[in-house]
Amino acid sequence: SKLYAEAGDNFFMLDTAKHAHLHETSAPEDVAKAYYDVLRQIQDALQICPRAVILVDELETLHPGVAAALIPVLKGNPVAGVSTKEAIYILTSDFGKEGASRGMSFDNIKSEIYRFSAKIYNDLTVANYVTILPFMALSRDDFYAISENKLRKLPCTMPQLQCVNWDENAVKVVAEAAWHGVREKNGREVDEKFDNLVNIDLALQLDALGIASLNPTPRVSALIKGDLAGMSVHVSLTVKPASKESLDEF
């Protein structure tokens, strides 16, 4: 299983992608092998942390015979003697198509999830052991909030930056570019537009400055401005030596 170190030793994401190639006509022995692999991954995670949070992403990619491995786990049955009752299991799906729930009401999404679950599990009793949390479509305001948050977190994603300032137009350009994208208003559209409009330019400028090779590392601040007319973002960097005086001024 894949451990997300930044989330601590209690968060795991099962590696189900390697079983996505299985389909209805796959050999039974291949399905059985994948079934037990999923159980083994869950067992490994629970042996590390009995109260683990285990994520199964894109559930629709799993063959029903492989997804069936989750049924005893969700019912709280032990796996190879390891208790499954204290862990939290998160199962996500977009029904095999991004934006599939767009335009649906909350109740319609829940109904679709139940139909989807019946197809995957072939065992509706599993519905008694799970809580359904439909994700409503992102709004335009959500895109603005995500865009601003990504700007705020730039010093975390690019440690060379000690200070980042931006104007309101920078947020607008990223948010509107993402909103009018092609991913059915999916949050990943914000990631893509932010990379194209901000991250790539920042990375190129930092690389050109050769910051990584300087010792001591200088202090770098970024000013990010948006051009609504051209739907573009301009990034400018300011570099100061890493002296005590400059640090006080920074």
Side-chain angles (χ1 to χ4, degrees):
S1 59
K2 183 177 180 181
L3 174 63
Y4 279 67
E6 66 272 19
D9 292 341
N10 64 337
F11 191 92
F12 296 83
M13 179 176 177
L14 298 191
D15 182 9
T16 56
K18 59 185 176 182
H19 304 310
H21 66 283
L22 296 174
H23 47 78
E24 292 181 359
T25 59
S26 293
E29 56 269 26
D30 292 336
V31 175
K33 183 178 179 180
Y35 174 98
Y36 286 109
D37 176 68
V38 170
L39 283 180
R40 180 192 57 77
Q41 290 187 57
I42 294 173
Q43 179 186 3
D44 290 347
L46 295 177
Q47 285 178 332
I48 294 174
C49 179
R51 295 183 177 180
V53 176
I54 298 176
L55 172 64
V56 183
D57 194 23
E58 298 186 357
L59 183 63
E60 75 283 350
T61 63
L62 282 181
H63 184 287
V66 180
L70 300 171
I71 294 176
V73 174
L74 295 175
K75 289 182 177 180
N77 297 334
V79 175
V82 178
S83 174
T84 62
K85 292 184 176 181
E86 294 184 275
I88 296 174
Y89 306 91
I90 301 175
L91 286 59
T92 69
S93 174
D94 57 8
F95 311 121
K97 177 184 176 184
E98 289 185 354
S101 61
R102 178 152 298 281
M104 289 186 182
S105 68
F106 183 83
D107 289 337
N108 286 341
I109 294 176
K110 287 185 67 174
S111 297
E112 185 64 25
I113 291 174
Y114 276 115
R115 285 194 292 271
F116 174 76
S117 298
K119 179 181 178 181
I120 289 292
Y121 297 121
N122 295 320
D123 183 352
L124 277 180
T125 60
V126 75
N128 297 323
Y129 302 91
V130 300
T131 299
I132 295 176
L133 300 172
F135 289 97
M136 303 304 290
L138 294 175
S139 68
R140 206 182 203 121
D141 288 342
D142 292 329
F143 272 52
Y144 273 74
I146 294 171
S147 300
E148 184 167 9
N149 190 53
K150 291 181 76 67
L151 285 165
R152 184 176 292 108
K153 288 187 174 181
L154 271 174
C156 298
T157 57
M158 292 188 174
Q160 305 98 315
L161 300 174
Q162 280 72 44
C163 179
V164 177
N165 292 295
W166 61 89
D167 65 5
E168 184 178 342
N169 285 344
V171 177
K172 288 182 178 179
V173 168
V174 175
E176 290 298 325
W179 180 254
H180 294 288
V182 296
R183 290 185 182 273
E184 299 287 349
K185 308 300 183 290
N186 189 294
R188 275 176 284 187
E189 185 69 23
V190 183
D191 294 337
E192 181 179 301
K193 290 299 187 291
F194 195 83
D195 282 341
N196 292 338
L197 292 166
V198 180
N199 280 343
I200 292 176
D201 191 9
L202 262 176
L204 288 173
Q205 290 195 44
L206 287 169
D207 186 59
L209 290 171
I211 300 297
S213 63
L214 299 178
N215 188 19
T217 303
R219 308 285 287 181
V220 182
S221 63
L223 177 61
I224 302 173
K225 293 184 176 182
D227 175 12
L228 288 176
M231 285 301 289
S232 60
V233 173
H234 176 70
V235 178
S236 58
L237 300 181
T238 301
V239 182
K240 292 186 178 182
S243 64
K244 183 180 184 305
E245 292 75 14
S246 65
L247 292 179
D248 292 339
E249 294 173 2
F250 202 84

